[in-house]
Amino acid sequence: MPSSPALALPRLRRPAWLSPRVARTEVLAGLVVALALIPEAISFSILAGVDPRVGLFASFTMAVVIAFTGGRPAMISAATGAVALVVAPLVRDHGLQYLLAAVILGGVFQVLLAAAGVARLMRFVPRSVMVGFVNALAILIFSAQLPHLIGVPWLVYPMVAGGLAVIFLLPRLTTAVPAPLVAIIVLTAITLAAGLALPDVGDEGALPESLPFLALPDVPLTWATLTTVAPYALGIAFVGLMESLMTAKLVDDLTDTPSDKTRESWGQGVANVVTGFTGGMGGCAMIGQTMINVKSGARTRLSTFLAGVFLLVLVVALGDVVALIPMAALVAVMVFVSIATFDWHSLRTLHRMPRSETAVMLATVAVVLLTSNLAIGVGVGVLVACVLFARRVAHLVSVTSEATADGTRVYAVHGALFFASSNDLVHRFDYAGDPADVVVDLSDASVWDASTVAALDAVTHRYASRGKMVTIVGLDEHSASRYERHTGQLAGAH
């Protein structure tokens, strides 16, 4: 009997990071990010009013968890300044345990928002807001380095300059090793060999000596506790999701690869829940560290995972060594990131861009710099863009009229009718001079909202008060449905 042919099994796709070349890039990029995370996490801990360990543990758990749950490979999540600003008042008034409860609840809110489809709102963020977001971010990254450049020994300046020279020039010779990592190693070696007295990582705060562990926040499970932490939890959820989704979109553009924004949204929530239970301050995507990762050549989840692992190893097992890294080396890396992040093309094309888009970009940058909050800046930028768009579209509506052979006056309306464009519609008709029969032809127009229906009702009412009859024709299916549903129900709107 002939043997039956073997069943063809589906061929499993080999993960990209199993390639030795890719793995080497991912490992080295993760190490550079971990080194850059240490002073940032310590600084954000101080900003939030908590021990440096809280920020460092948050950076570890956020990075490791999001490596599995996130929707954007190579994006780095950790403790951030935006979240620190949100929770600082809660820590000041109620202490660390209430912060941990807020982080857990904020994570739950993020999962619920992801299920509600919040990621789909990203398509409403215009390019001018994205450009403003990126430019403001670059300025914030650079300005965050100024405290390390003011009132410091003069040797810091040539060290930073030397670090920048390594970062910019080394890629012309080789890309086998990330230039930022080489800069950190070289500057640290010079500092130690020459015995230079320069500010180092150890001056930023005490590093943890033990691993994080799971624990419940020590807060009473009462309604009063919920009402105390819920507003801050919502702040963590919204700020975290907005920054994470904006960063994911930026990385999508830089790498020409798509990401799963919904997965990223609930992944951020899961990461924050885990972080809260392990004593961390919560966080979200970090644009600066993500740019370091991407600019170092990382493209997979391995770099994100290793950034968290290396961070924990560096601060717990090798804390004494890490503490010796001069801050000048990390400042050089972050200055490079700010230069690489800024959209210089937007300045060169500023005179050719429409004034409305320039206004949106500048409004986004200005609000971010004034509030030091990227989420507020993006929100204001989107609001300004919507207002300017509505104002521009409102002027695209036109009304023409002609008299037919039987004496009927026909008005033809052209354009999109909504609250901004329909307000002036009632003034486009000659109520006193028109004949008894008037036709309003909407064949080239669309009714988008109840404000337009109210405007059409006002037109009909004004003609009716003079004993004249109006017939509305040419409505498409959706406009007719909207008109029939609301007409006669909006008295007093005009």
Side-chain angles (χ1 to χ4, degrees), residues 153-166:
W154 69 269
L155 282 173
V156 168
Y157 304 112
M159 291 287 281
V160 172
L164 287 171
V166 171

Side-chain angles (χ1 to χ4, degrees), residues 62 65-66 69-72 75 77 105-122 236-246 248-249 259-273 283-285 301:
M62 288 294 298
V65 174
I66 207 66
T69 63
R72 174 63 261 179
M75 191 167 79
S77 292
L105 184 58
V108 173
F109 284 152
Q110 287 178 325
V111 173
L112 295 177
L113 288 169
V118 69
R120 290 193 293 270
L121 296 177
M122 280 303 297
I236 293 171
F238 281 112
V239 168
L241 283 182
M242 187 172 292
E243 288 210 28
S244 299
L245 294 176
M246 291 290 288
K249 190 173 188 300
S259 62
D260 187 338
K261 304 297 192 301
T262 298
R263 177 175 175 178
E264 183 63 38
S265 299
W266 65 256
Q268 289 288 332
V270 172
N272 270 310
V273 170
C284 60
R301 299 176 185 275

Side-chain angles (χ1 to χ4, degrees), residues 245-336:
L245 294 176
M246 291 290 288
T247 304
K249 190 173 188 300
L250 179 61
V251 177
D252 291 351
D253 295 339
L254 288 174
T255 61
D256 289 326
T257 56
S259 62
D260 187 338
K261 304 297 192 301
T262 298
R263 177 175 175 178
E264 183 63 38
S265 299
W266 65 256
Q268 289 288 332
V270 172
N272 270 310
V273 170
V274 174
T275 297
F277 280 122
T278 52
M281 60 180 277
C284 60
M286 291 194 77
I287 183 68
Q289 276 64 25
T290 297
M291 288 298 100
I292 293 175
N293 203 36
V294 173
K295 297 293 183 182
S296 298
R299 293 294 184 272
T300 75
R301 299 176 185 275
L302 181 61
S303 58
T304 305
F305 173 77
L306 290 179
V309 173
F310 284 148
L311 172 66
L312 190 65
V313 172
L314 288 170
V315 299
V316 174
L318 302 174
D320 293 340
V321 176
V322 172
L324 299 176
I325 296 175
M327 285 302 300
L330 299 178
V331 168
V333 172
M334 296 309 293
V335 170
F336 160 72

Side-chain angles (χ1 to χ4, degrees), residues 17 44 49 61 72 77 83 214 300 391 401-402 454 466 477:
W17 51 265
F44 296 148
T61 54
R72 174 63 261 179
S77 292
V83 172
L214 288 172
T300 75
R391 182 174 177 270
S401 69
E402 64 177 1
R466 291 170 171 80
E477 181 181 351

Side-chain angles (χ1 to χ4, degrees), residues 218-243:
D218 185 15
V219 296
L221 301 179
T222 62
W223 177 255
T225 300
L226 180 62
T227 56
T228 298
V229 302
Y232 297 98
L234 281 172
I236 293 171
F238 281 112
V239 168
L241 283 182
M242 187 172 292
E243 288 210 28

Side-chain angles (χ1 to χ4, degrees), residues 100-425:
L100 302 181
V103 170
I104 294 170
L105 184 58
V108 173
F109 284 152
Q110 287 178 325
V111 173
L112 295 177
L113 288 169
V118 69
R120 290 193 293 270
L121 296 177
M122 280 303 297
R123 62 174 175 239
F124 297 110
V125 179
R127 180 187 176 279
S128 51
V129 174
M130 277 296 298
V131 173
F133 168 81
V134 169
N135 290 346
L137 186 59
I139 296 172
L140 285 181
I141 293 173
F142 179 80
S143 61
Q145 311 315 308
L146 294 180
H148 303 295
L149 295 171
I150 298 174
V152 294
W154 69 269
L155 282 173
V156 168
Y157 304 112
M159 291 287 281
V160 172
L164 287 171
V166 171
I167 294 171
F168 279 107
L169 297 178
L170 183 63
R172 298 184 180 183
L173 302 176
T174 178
T175 56
V177 182
L181 178 59
V182 175
I184 292 172
I185 293 174
V186 169
L187 294 189
T188 302
I190 292 174
T191 301
L192 295 179
L196 304 178
L198 296 176
D200 53 33
V201 171
D203 297 330
E204 297 296 304
L207 300 178
E209 300 175 351
S210 61
L211 298 175
F213 56 89
L214 288 172
L216 289 172
D218 185 15
V219 296
L221 301 179
T222 62
W223 177 255
T225 300
L226 180 62
T227 56
T228 298
V229 302
Y232 297 98
L234 281 172
I236 293 171
F238 281 112
V239 168
L241 283 182
M242 187 172 292
E243 288 210 28
S244 299
L245 294 176
M246 291 290 288
T247 304
K249 190 173 188 300
L250 179 61
V251 177
D252 291 351
D253 295 339
L254 288 174
T255 61
D256 289 326
T257 56
S259 62
D260 187 338
K261 304 297 192 301
T262 298
R263 177 175 175 178
E264 183 63 38
S265 299
W266 65 256
Q268 289 288 332
V270 172
N272 270 310
V273 170
V274 174
T275 297
F277 280 122
T278 52
M281 60 180 277
C284 60
M286 291 194 77
I287 183 68
Q289 276 64 25
T290 297
M291 288 298 100
I292 293 175
N293 203 36
V294 173
K295 297 293 183 182
S296 298
R299 293 294 184 272
T300 75
R301 299 176 185 275
L302 181 61
S303 58
T304 305
F305 173 77
L306 290 179
V309 173
F310 284 148
L311 172 66
L312 190 65
V313 172
L314 288 170
V315 299
V316 174
L318 302 174
D320 293 340
V321 176
V322 172
L324 299 176
I325 296 175
M327 285 302 300
L330 299 178
V331 168
V333 172
M334 296 309 293
V335 170
F336 160 72
V337 169
S338 68
I339 294 172
T341 300
F342 196 91
D343 187 350
W344 299 100
H345 181 71
S346 65
L347 294 183
R348 292 192 294 269
T349 59
L350 197 61
H351 64 284
R352 295 199 299 268
M353 296 298 292
R355 290 184 179 180
S356 58
E357 295 197 20
T358 301
V360 170
M361 184 193 74
L362 294 177
T364 304
V365 172
V367 173
V368 170
L369 297 182
L370 287 173
T371 63
S372 297
N373 190 314
L374 291 165
I376 295 177
V378 171
V380 171
V382 171
L383 179 61
V384 172
C386 290
V387 171
L388 293 177
F389 175 77
R391 182 174 177 270
R392 186 166 61 250
V393 173
H395 296 296
L396 299 180
V397 173
S398 62
V399 179
T400 59
S401 69
E402 64 177 1
T404 62
D406 61 0
T408 301
R409 173 65 64 175
V410 178
Y411 286 91
V413 182
H414 310 269
L417 297 173
F418 64 109
F419 63 90
S421 60
S422 62
N423 282 330
D424 294 331
L425 189 63

